[in-house]
Each structure stands twice: as C-alpha cells, then as structure tokens.
Amino acid sequence: MSSEFPAPDEPTTAMPASPVERPKSTGLHVGDAKPGVAKIDPIIVVDGVRRTFGGLTAVDVEHLEIPRGVITALIGPNGAGKTTLFNLLTGFDKPNEGSWTFDGTSISGVPAYKVARMGQVRTFQLTKALGLLTVVENMKLGAKGQRGERFWSSLIPAAWRKQDDEIEERAMKLLAKFKLDAKSNDFAASLSGGQRKLLEMARALMSQPKLVMLDEPMAGVNPALTQSLLDHILDLKDEGMTVLFVEHDMHMVRHIADWVVVMAEGRVVAEGDPYSVMQDPAVIDAYLGAHQELDLGVVTGRYAPEGAEAAPDAEVQEKLLAAGIAELEEEEK
Amino acid sequence: MDWLQIFSNSLSSILSPATIGYALAALGLAVHFGYAGLLNMGIAGFMAIGAYGYAISSLSFGFPWWLAILVGLGASAIFALILGVPTLRLRGDYLAIVTIAAAEVVRLLFLTTAFDEYTGSADGLSGYQGSFRDANPIPDGIYGFGPWMYTANEWWVRIMGLVTLAIAVLVVWMLMRSPWGRVLKGIREDEDAVRALGKNAFAYKMQALVLGGVLAAAGGIVYALDRAASPGVYVTSLTFFVWTALLLGGAATVFGPLLGSLIFWVLQTFLSNFLPALVQAGVLPFMSQIQAGTLRFILVGVALMLLVIFMPQGILGNKKELTFVK
Ligand SMILES: Nc1ncnc2c1ncn2[C@@H]1O[C@H](COP(=O)(O)OP(=O)(O)O)[C@@H](O)[C@H]1O
Ligand SMILES: [Mg+2]
C-alpha cells in the first residue's frame, strides 16, 4: 500500500466529509451475501474465469456478478489479481478458461476495442496519458463514432468538422468539471501524476460508457483532489452509469461504494455492502484491520509475519478457513 | 578550384529527381515513424518495389507509363499488407528487425539470377523511359536559368515528381490534422490507451503502413523514372539516408521530410564536388579523389549520430516536445 495514503486509524484527516452524504443503493443481491451471490440486475456476469502465469494462478473466479447502475469496489491486497481480472474483462488479456457477459452479451474473446465500443471502458493502474498529444486532443480521442477517424472521410473536413467541434465543446465541459480546462492546450506529458489520473478518467467518460472500470483511480491524486474525484464517481452513478473500481483506501470505499467485492490470491473471498463486508470478521481482521499492511498469506499463517505483533491468531485463521481461503496454493508468490 | 561549378551543381540538386524521390520516401517514413511510431527500417524495400514494379511492367508487359506507375504503387501496398499482418502486433523494435530483413529479401529477389528475364538481376533494368517521354508535352529544347538548365525530358520528370510530391504533402497534411491523424498519434504514444477508447489500433497501423509504403514507392519511382532500376541502389544505406533526411527535417512534421531531403542532397552534391576538389588542390594530401568521394558517406553517418543526440526533433520539429522525450 502506498505511503500517500493515511493510516487507517486516522480517518478524520483522511476523509474530509462529503458536503452532501448521498444515499447508498441497497437490495442489490438475491439471498445471502456470499462470494458469487446472484444480483437482481447484473451488468457483468463472470463464470469460471481462470488465468495463470506459469505456475501462478493470478485469477480464479468461479462466479461473480457486478450489479448495474451502482458503484462496486473491488478490493484486495496487492497481487490479488484485480488488475488481471480487469485486463481479462476488457479484452486486454485472454484467460486459460472461462466466459463472461456484459449487458447480456457474451464478450469472452472479444478484442479490447470492441469491448470499449460496447460501452465498457477502463482506465489503467499505470496511467496512460498520451504525452505528446494536448490535453484536449486526449479528450477528443475518447469520443466514439467519429466520422473523421475513417481514412477517406478524414480527407474531407466538411464531413467531420461540425462533429469535431461538438466533441471539443463536450471535452471542454468535462475538462472544466475536472479542473483541467486551464491546461487544455498543454501536452499531457506536462501534467502531474494526479492530473493524469483525472485526465484518463475524463477521457474515458468522453465515450459515454455504460460501465466505467477504474483501476486505482485515487493512486497519486493529492488529498485535496480526492474529494472531488469521489464526487465525480458518485456523479457517474447519478448519471446512470455503472462503476467498478479498484481501491486500497478503505475509507474511500466505505464512502462511495454500494457493493464491495473482496479478492485474495485470485479468488473472490467475500462480497457484500461496504458495512457488512467490513464487519465480516474475516475481512476486518485479516485484511482491513490490524493486518492491513500484511499479505493475506501471513494472516492465514502460511508464512511467518515480519513483526511479532502481527502474529495470526487462531480465531482469525479459522474464519478465513471458513471463507475458503485455506484452499489457496501452498506455493509462495 | 572551380567554385562556380561546385555551387552550380549543388544548387541544381535542389530540383533533382533524387531529392524529390527522397522527399517522398521520407514523407512516407514520417507517416510510419513520426506519426504512427512504426520503426520501419526497410524503407529501401518499398522504394525498390515501386521502382521495379514500374520498370518490370513497362518492359516485360509493355504497360503505358501511368499504368506501370499504378502497378508499382499497388505492389508496395500489397507488400505493406503482407509485412503488416504478422509484424504489426510486434513491439516496435521487433518491427525494425523484421522490416530491415524484409527489405533485404526484396533486394535479393531483384538481384538473384533466378528472375533475370524480368529483373535483369545484377544489371538492373533500364530503357523503360519510352512511354513516359512520349507523354511529355514540352517541346524539345533546353529551358531554365542559372544552375537549373534542363532538357524537356529532364523538366518532365521534375514537374511530374513535384506534382506528386505536392499532392502527397497535401494529403499527409490533411490526414494528420484530422481525427484520423489524432488516433494515429495516440497510437504512437500508447497503443493500449487508444484500444481502451474503442479504436482498432491494428487497422490504423495497417493503414499507416500502407500509406507510408505507397509514398515511399512513389519516391522510388520518381528516383528511377529517368534513370535505371538497379539493385545496388536499394541497399540498407539507402534506408539510413532517408532516415537522415527525415530526422534532419523533423520526424513528426509534414514539411520536415522535404526540407531534410533538400539539405541532404544539396550537401551531398556539394561534398561530392568539394572534397575531390580539395584533394586536387592538394589540401587533403593523405587521400585520393575517390577516397574523398566516399568520405562524404562517413560524414553523413556522423551527421546522423549528432542529429539524433543533439537535435532529435529535427529542424522543423516542436522544441516543446523535446522536453518530454524519454
Ligand atoms: N503479465 C504477467 N506475467 C506474470 N505474472 C503476472 C502478470 N500480470 C500479473 N501477474 C501476477 O499475477 C498476480 C496478480 O497481479 P495483479 O492482477 O496485478 O494484482 P493486483 O492488481 O490485485 O495488485 C500477481 O502475483 C502478479 O505478479
Ligand atoms: Mg493492480
């Protein structure tokens, strides 16, 4: 976990309270909130997806449904397989086996650009600002269905000029919202790390997606900006979009997520609304609480912790065993 | 030393088919490398295919000049497609290796005696100018002024070359300021980011490879139009010369390749006249006139290295960009 983040036991400095606390969506699932629980209205349904790198199983998800129209947080320690799952779902990587659907359509094996066109866009953990394009050019690249992007019609400015102007207008509005409008004609390479995160998110929104997948959107964003970034994410939900985001900071997760999926060592180990997931003793003790800095492997007692203080207690171990983590491979990552 | 002759020759090269041919090829390379980020090290292969496509269809099939030119351009487009399908999924440096090899394969195919009947193997092809010259509307005679005194046929080649170049520049200029060019530049910066935004990066790279390849073939044709197609021309050093011209002018610019080719050839001509003259005047006692003639190629190599180290954006490139070169 990166050092920019406040320690979990000082929540007041970490999270300036949101001006208006927005209501959470509830009643998303059918039956008990356990890993793989069915959702009333899922936008993504994952079945038996497994991805291995050599001997390492990075992702092994039996069943997972992401609810539509709400904000879902995907959490889990480093190396849990969150980014790999993102890569698989967006067509940037291919699984060893498994299938998944987006909006009722099977998109396993569909190339990344087609997935994006269907309305499922993502950002990257390692930000991908297009450095030698200006900020506004970055934004305009995000818009879908541009006539001027086809080879022959690009040679006839009359065919795309008007559309391009409209796109630019939309881009400038979004940039203003993300407080990047003053930078619109600068190279993206001149932005700070946090500004690039903002730009990448704004650029993704230019495509007017149905589902936005954000991989660690807050990483490197300064605390003053985090609140507005959180508000942006909440706005997306208000505008009818579905958000799936990866985040390490539990206060942020608690603050904006309607649903939380916990991954560890490739598997989904817990699911639920933020309050109950965080009260799930296994999750609290094992991951969110005292042992936050530790790998789940330490907590499960598979290998020795570095500090004596963090020694696993038997009760936690039992609960985690119950949660199915015991099946994890013996092999150390 | 005959300064007048040296300068006259140097200035004359501004309008030479070689300069125009290089400018077209460098413009194609600008599309490949400057805009799409494709590290094509086989530009000589595209030029060879253009020139030979033109020469073979004129000589072996008796096509009229304009049809022969279309064959040359079409052949290079097909070459680009064949090259692109397996290689455009590769990372940039692998593309460089594959293209350099592909260009050599092309050259060796033209060089081998197996197809001597069509390619003339080591002798190359010549004497295919008939149809093109017949179409020349300029009456016989010598025209021009100063260093630029040319025959009707020489003017005809230059005019057609310049018209082609003007059209090519206009097309590339329009493309690169369109949304299509924006996608291409995005791919140059980060292909995955562009794919994540719903663009078929492979298709764009293929379009760029074909467009640049056709421009390079046009350059090859202009270069060979009034001379001969010889396998000794399309060697790897031709690729490096075109790269030098491109980097000199500015890789991600439309007019850079023109300016670069111009400077390249004026300097080349100047040195190829000046250095032997120095030897003759006894200034370079340690080398022969022929050695002095080859010295200029060494100077070109050194210039390319200095250029990349100290001025990677080229003469017309945006200085601001340099701040962000990794
Ligand atoms: N391309 C790859 N090659 C080999 N191993 C990989 C690759 N990508 C991810 N991994 C491994 O897969 C596991 C999951 O990684 P990742 O999905 O990035 O985790 P997270 O995003 O949850 O931190 C890690 O152990 C990582 O080392
Ligand atoms: Mg990750």
Side-chain angles (χ1 to χ4, degrees), chain A:
Chain A
M1 201 157 297
S2 78
S3 55
E4 293 111 295
F5 293 118
D9 50 351
E10 36 188 48
T12 42
T13 53
M15 267 322 308
S18 177
V20 210
E21 195 67 50
R22 299 189 214 188
K24 296 270 163 129
S25 305
T26 51
L28 302 168
H29 59 291
V30 187
D32 286 345
K34 57 179 194 304
V37 62
K39 305 295 177 325
I40 304 281
D41 183 16
I43 188 163
I44 282 197
V45 180
V46 183
D47 267 304
V49 167
R50 202 167 56 81
R51 173 71 166 109
T52 59
F53 294 109
L56 179 104
T57 304
V59 166
D60 187 1
V61 173
E62 258 173 50
H63 188 82
L64 177 64
E65 299 186 4
I66 306 297
R68 185 194 308 272
V70 301
I71 301 173
T72 302
L74 180 61
I75 65 171
N78 287 322
K82 307 178 295 292
T83 298
T84 308
L85 183 63
F86 262 41
N87 289 344
L88 292 170
L89 294 183
T90 50
F92 277 89
D93 193 6
K94 291 200 164 31
N96 300 65
E97 59 189 66
S99 62
W100 60 98
T101 63
F102 168 68
D103 222 5
T105 320
S106 169
I107 55 162
S108 3
V110 172
Y113 75 93
K114 285 191 183 158
V115 172
R117 280 184 197 173
M118 291 169 78
Q120 179 187 335
V121 301
R122 68 166 305 180
T123 64
F124 294 87
Q125 180 171 359
L126 298 171
T127 325
K128 292 187 185 295
L130 305 167
L132 293 186
L133 264 59
T134 63
V135 168
V136 72
E137 280 177 325
N138 262 273
M139 292 294 286
K140 288 163 87 174
L141 203 52
K144 282 201 288 195
Q146 298 190 44
R147 285 189 283 280
E149 286 184 353
R150 288 196 296 265
F151 184 84
W152 294 111
S153 46
S154 75
L155 288 167
I156 311 161
W160 49 263
R161 180 74 71 211
K162 195 165 151 284
Q163 188 193 29
D164 203 58
D165 290 344
E166 287 163 11
I167 288 169
E168 180 153 341
E169 202 178 310
R170 199 150 56 81
M172 291 309 293
K173 274 191 196 142
L174 256 176
L175 282 177
K177 218 173 133 188
F178 282 78
K179 306 234 169 11
L180 285 171
D181 46 339
K183 297 259 180 197
S184 64
N185 289 318
D186 293 356
F187 281 134
S190 72
L191 298 181
S192 73
Q195 285 171 325
R196 288 184 205 193
K197 279 269 172 206
L198 290 176
L199 173 61
E200 203 188 9
M201 183 168 154
R203 190 177 64 196
L205 297 181
M206 281 299 288
S207 69
Q208 296 168 318
K210 292 182 205 158
L211 168 65
V212 191
M213 297 173 61
L214 308 167
D215 200 348
E216 305 204 13
M218 316 315 170
V221 176
N222 81 51
L225 268 178
T226 11
Q227 184 57 54
S228 76
L229 199 77
L230 292 182
D231 282 333
H232 289 319
I233 296 178
L234 287 165
D235 287 346
L236 299 182
K237 177 185 162 189
D238 291 346
E239 286 161 28
M241 279 176 244
T242 306
V243 180
L244 175 63
F245 76 109
V246 172
E247 185 48 58
H248 281 299
D249 191 308
M250 289 318 133
H251 310 291
M252 297 179 188
V253 169
R254 204 169 4 228
H255 184 57
I256 64 169
D258 300 296
W259 191 258
V260 179
V261 175
V262 187
M263 274 184 86
E265 310 205 349
R267 291 159 186 270
V268 176
V269 294
E271 267 195 71
D273 65 78
Y275 302 101
S276 47
V277 157
M278 288 179 199
Q279 275 155 21
D280 183 337
V283 177
I284 295 179
D285 294 346
Y287 176 63
L288 307 172
H291 310 297
Q292 192 169 7
E293 306 303 327
L294 290 183
D295 189 287
L296 205 53
V298 175
V299 185
T300 52
R302 288 193 306 122
Y303 47 90
E306 277 160 282
E309 193 202 341
D313 68 66
E315 201 182 277
V316 172
Q317 265 196 52
E318 254 178 39
K319 282 172 182 160
L320 284 168
L321 288 172
I325 298 171
E327 295 161 34
L328 296 171
E329 287 172 65
E330 286 304 309
E331 184 196 338
E332 193 174 316
K333 170 174 65 102

Side-chain angles (χ1 to χ4, degrees), chain A residues 92 113 116-117 124 128 130-133 140-141 143 146 148-149 151 154-155 157 160 164 187 189-190 203, chain B residues 171 174-175 177-180 182-183 185-186 188-190 192-193 195-200 204 318 321 324:
Chain A
F92 277 89
Y113 75 93
R117 280 184 197 173
F124 294 87
K128 292 187 185 295
L130 305 167
L132 293 186
L133 264 59
K140 288 163 87 174
L141 203 52
Q146 298 190 44
E149 286 184 353
F151 184 84
S154 75
L155 288 167
W160 49 263
D164 203 58
F187 281 134
S190 72
R203 190 177 64 196
Chain B
V171 166
M174 288 180 73
L175 280 172
R177 50 198 294 285
S178 78
W180 185 86
R182 190 161 62 214
V183 177
K185 286 180 252 179
R188 177 191 69 196
E189 298 299 310
D190 194 316
D192 280 345
R195 290 203 290 152
L197 296 172
K199 325 286 176 195
N200 184 351
Y204 281 95
N318 187 342
E321 289 185 9
F324 305 113

Side-chain angles (χ1 to χ4, degrees), chain B residues 142-186:
Chain B
I142 292 177
Y143 307 87
F145 62 93
W148 301 285
M149 295 289 291
Y150 303 115
T151 65
N153 279 330
E154 285 171 338
W155 272 116
W156 180 225
V157 173
R158 283 161 176 77
I159 289 168
M160 292 305 275
L162 286 174
V163 168
T164 311
L165 183 60
I167 295 171
V169 164
L170 183 69
V171 166
V172 172
W173 182 73
M174 288 180 73
L175 280 172
M176 294 313 164
R177 50 198 294 285
S178 78
W180 185 86
R182 190 161 62 214
V183 177
L184 209 60
K185 286 180 252 179

Side-chain angles (χ1 to χ4, degrees), chain B residues 212-303:
Chain B
V214 167
L215 291 176
I221 294 172
V222 170
Y223 194 21
L225 207 49
D226 207 27
R227 306 172 5 141
S230 149
V233 170
Y234 306 99
V235 290
T236 307
S237 51
L238 173 62
T239 294
F240 289 124
F241 292 157
V242 176
W243 269 97
T244 306
L246 174 73
L247 295 176
L248 184 61
T253 62
V254 175
F255 292 98
L258 267 67
L259 184 64
S261 306
L262 203 83
I263 296 174
F264 179 88
W265 271 108
V266 170
L267 257 176
Q268 277 271 334
T269 316
F270 174 76
L271 289 175
S272 69
N273 284 271
F274 178 65
L275 292 173
L278 278 185
V279 173
Q280 211 172 19
V283 185
L284 297 171
F286 47 86
M287 53 171 59
S288 69
Q289 284 203 26
I290 295 170
Q291 283 172 328
T294 30
L295 178 61
R296 67 193 161 109
F297 293 113
I298 298 173
L299 294 177
V300 170
V302 173

